[in-house]
Amino acid sequence: MSKRNNDFFRKKKDWSKVKDELLGCYLKPYISKILHTRKPLIYVDCFAGKGKFEDGSFGSPLIALKIIETERMRSSAENPKIVSFFIELNHADDLQKNLDSYPYAKVIHGKYEDRIENILKEKEGCNIFLYVDPYGIKALQYALFDRFANGKFYSVELLVNMNSFGFIREGCRVFGVPFKEDIVLSELIEYEPTYMDRSEKSKRELDAIAGGEYWRRIIEAYKNELIDGYEAENQFAEQYCMRLRKSYNYVLNMPLRIKRGQRPKYRLIHATNHRDGCLLMVDNICNRWESLRDIQSRGQLELWGETTNNQIVDDKFVQEKTKAFFSQYSVWISLHDGLADFFMHNGPICSTKDVKKALRKLENDRRLEVIREPVLTPTGKKTKFMEEDKGKRVKLRWRR
Ligand SMILES: C[S@@+](CC[C@H](N)C(=O)[O-])C[C@H]1O[C@@H](n2cnc3c(N)ncnc32)[C@H](O)[C@@H]1O
């Protein structure tokens, strides 16, 4: 184990705070909703760490367990069942100690890539949530993600931290291409970075991580100076998400930056087959923006509020994007299907509320036709809601 690995748990860094904030805030509404499926939830933290940092801050396992406990107590679902597993290669003993107050939490000592399939065996019909937060890229075997999607589970969701710049650097290394943007990675502070050599075996290892050979063309374009390192990272993240979309209907690519105005350096990727899970994640990101700004205002981080091209996201921008996207629909589409497709196309650039506001304007301007169910309120007035909830349905179509 490298010294840097041990350093990681000394003091919780801003990067980790952001990841934990997003994980924790998503888990609350996710668990509350998923328990109503009446199917067990299997929660797996695949790279769990020590559970607690030396400065006393909670790591992802304690954050998740606290939420699991609260949501289980609060849930009105009948007999809610949640089983949680925490896989850790290097710090399983510390983790076990730190999770003492949760005797039902199962600590698994070993490698995620060796243990996960056994954990998920005989969990057919369950809801599966996997938090995948490795240091480097080496343990991210793409084939496993396909296998999870094809398992006979009730639902599967993945939240993956992907060091996409680290991947590009290694892609350059295996082809002997100098990587000029190494400065980006020195700002990121990598713990146990993955280093590859120039062998065919390393190339195949990168294929296995990426889920295909598409990354090789990106390195070729970088080598020929057709794109710079930022564009290479962007293209890799996009194509990685497209690859995931072969198995998961909804994949969100969430860029994280270190400083305002800079390009993203790191990606959080959320994959699910459930439309509403995707919309929940979009709103989670947008709702957390204020608290994430506190971390950022110390000069460390900038996340959303600008697109990956540093374009400002304001009402006008959302209005234009909404018009451009929904004007494609000449046949009826449900509001939530349309919203999920909007975010698949544009990324999580704003909240679902912002897009609904833009849709209302298009309706008022008579550009969009809307059918609501129920049509009338209990007092006999025409309904005007722009939401799909218990007993409320909305369909949209561009006016011809
Ligand atoms: C980025 S840290 C996880 C931090 C954790 N999410 C938290 O919030 O505290 C990655 C962890 O994965 C562990 N690890 C490294 N390789 C692993 C593997 N192949 N399988 C499981 N755990 C591994 C490391 O020891 C480290 O504790």
Side-chain angles (χ1 to χ4, degrees):
M1 198 200 315
S2 74
K3 183 177 174 296
R4 295 201 103 182
N5 183 332
N6 269 328
D7 285 352
F8 182 88
F9 292 103
R10 227 149 255 158
K11 184 174 179 300
K12 191 159 166 180
K13 310 279 186 313
D14 285 342
W15 280 112
S16 299
K17 289 183 189 160
V18 169
K19 286 188 291 188
D20 290 347
E21 183 78 24
L22 288 170
L23 171 73
C25 295
Y26 181 70
L27 279 182
K28 279 180 218 163
Y30 165 78
I31 294 177
S32 138
K33 279 204 170 178
I34 214 83
L35 290 178
H36 285 282
T37 61
R38 298 181 182 189
K39 310 281 178 201
L41 167 61
I42 311 298
Y43 177 84
V44 191
D45 189 336
C46 302
F47 296 82
K50 290 189 179 181
K52 215 188 228 177
F53 287 73
E54 284 164 36
D55 64 2
S57 344
F58 282 7
S60 54
L62 280 175
I63 290 173
L65 282 164
K66 200 165 166 241
I67 294 168
I68 287 172
E69 191 81 3
T70 315
E71 291 307 316
R72 195 203 320 259
M73 308 264 276
R74 274 175 32 154
S75 178
S76 56
E78 216 176 285
N79 197 16
K81 189 169 180 215
I82 308 175
V83 188
S84 47
F85 294 89
F86 299 88
I87 314 175
E88 171 56 43
L89 178 62
N90 300 310
H91 308 288
D93 290 345
D94 284 331
L95 178 61
Q96 186 74 65
K97 271 188 228 130
N98 286 328
L99 302 191
D100 253 5
S101 44
Y102 299 95
Y104 52 83
K106 298 182 199 312
V107 172
I108 311 280
H109 184 188
K111 289 187 174 177
Y112 143 81
E113 55 277 35
D114 296 342
R115 300 302 185 97
I116 187 68
E117 288 189 284
N118 205 32
I119 292 174
L120 297 182
K121 224 187 227 167
E122 291 164 17
K123 303 288 189 303
E124 285 89 356
C126 294
N127 294 298
I128 311 290
F129 186 97
L130 305 181
Y131 182 48
V132 185
D133 181 24
Y135 286 135
I137 50 171
K138 212 159 185 166
L140 291 180
Q141 294 303 311
Y142 185 87
L144 282 172
F145 295 159
D146 272 352
R147 289 215 278 280
F148 304 148
N150 296 326
K152 294 193 168 37
F153 306 117
Y154 191 78
S155 71
V156 186
E157 292 210 14
L158 311 176
L159 187 59
V160 183
N161 283 309
M162 163 60 85
N163 178 357
S164 36
F165 255 108
F167 186 97
I168 293 297
R169 178 193 54 207
E170 293 318 301
C172 284
R173 196 192 309 276
V174 300
F175 279 106
V177 177
F179 182 60
K180 296 192 275 297
E181 283 83 358
D182 223 11
I183 179 74
V184 171
L185 289 163
S186 62
E187 284 172 350
L188 191 57
I189 311 180
E190 288 181 284
Y191 295 89
E192 291 202 339
T194 303
Y195 291 117
M196 304 255 174
D197 57 26
R198 290 186 63 178
S199 64
E200 268 311 306
K201 182 171 163 272
S202 289
K203 288 176 193 156
R204 283 197 302 276
E205 265 186 74
L206 289 177
D207 289 344
I209 293 166
E213 295 186 1
Y214 59 86
W215 62 275
R216 297 180 185 220
R217 287 188 293 279
I218 298 172
I219 303 299
E220 185 69 20
Y222 178 72
K223 179 180 154 194
N224 294 330
E225 298 187 350
L226 299 173
I227 54 173
D228 63 13
Y230 299 105
E231 183 53 23
E233 184 273 347
N234 186 39
Q235 288 189 9
F236 171 69
E238 274 183 14
Q239 293 191 37
Y240 184 78
C241 289
M242 270 161 59
R243 177 69 187 82
L244 270 172
R245 284 196 71 190
K246 289 188 179 170
S247 300
Y248 297 84
N249 292 338
Y250 302 102
V251 179
L252 286 174
N253 169 357
M254 301 174 271
L256 302 184
R257 308 154 208 241
I258 296 179
K259 289 193 184 111
R260 188 176 203 103
Q262 278 187 344
R263 304 289 189 95
K265 313 272 183 299
Y266 202 93
R267 306 274 169 167
L268 256 180
I269 294 169
H270 178 245
T272 173
N273 272 327
H274 285 259
R275 178 195 69 179
D276 293 350
C278 157
L279 297 179
L280 206 59
M281 183 51 96
V282 167
D283 282 339
N284 174 45
I285 294 161
C286 297
N287 292 340
R288 298 327 295 161
W289 177 230
E290 283 305 316
S291 67
L292 294 173
R293 206 183 287 272
D294 289 347
I295 298 170
Q296 162 208 284
S297 64
R298 277 181 270 128
Q300 296 299 312
L301 291 158
E302 163 75 9
L303 290 116
W304 294 276
E306 293 172 353
T307 65
T308 46
N309 300 320
N310 297 329
Q311 201 162 6
I312 302 293
V313 177
D314 56 12
D315 277 1
K316 188 165 165 271
F317 180 81
V318 175
Q319 192 68 49
E320 277 165 12
K321 290 276 175 198
T322 306
K323 186 177 163 196
F325 188 76
F326 282 88
S327 58
Q328 305 171 81
Y329 289 107
S330 53
V331 292
W332 294 105
I333 180 166
S334 91
L335 172 65
H336 277 195
D337 284 350
L339 283 173
D341 288 349
F342 174 89
F343 291 111
M344 282 308 91
H345 184 77
N346 292 297
I349 53 169
C350 58
S351 69
T352 56
K353 202 169 94 209
D354 296 332
V355 183
K356 287 176 189 169
K357 188 173 147 200
L359 288 169
R360 267 182 196 288
K361 184 166 177 346
L362 289 168
E363 182 188 12
N364 292 341
D365 294 346
R366 299 190 53 75
R367 310 298 300 272
L368 196 69
E369 285 183 83
V370 181
I371 297 179
R372 294 182 169 87
E373 261 176 51
V375 180
L376 299 176
T377 66
T379 54
K381 291 195 181 124
K382 254 184 116 180
T383 51
K384 289 190 177 151
F385 52 80
M386 189 58 86
E387 61 195 354
E388 293 200 288
D389 209 348
K390 284 172 208 133
K392 288 182 184 166
R393 292 283 164 268
V394 177
K395 280 187 183 167
L396 312 167
R397 183 172 73 174
W398 197 249
R399 222 174 253 282
R400 277 175 277 191

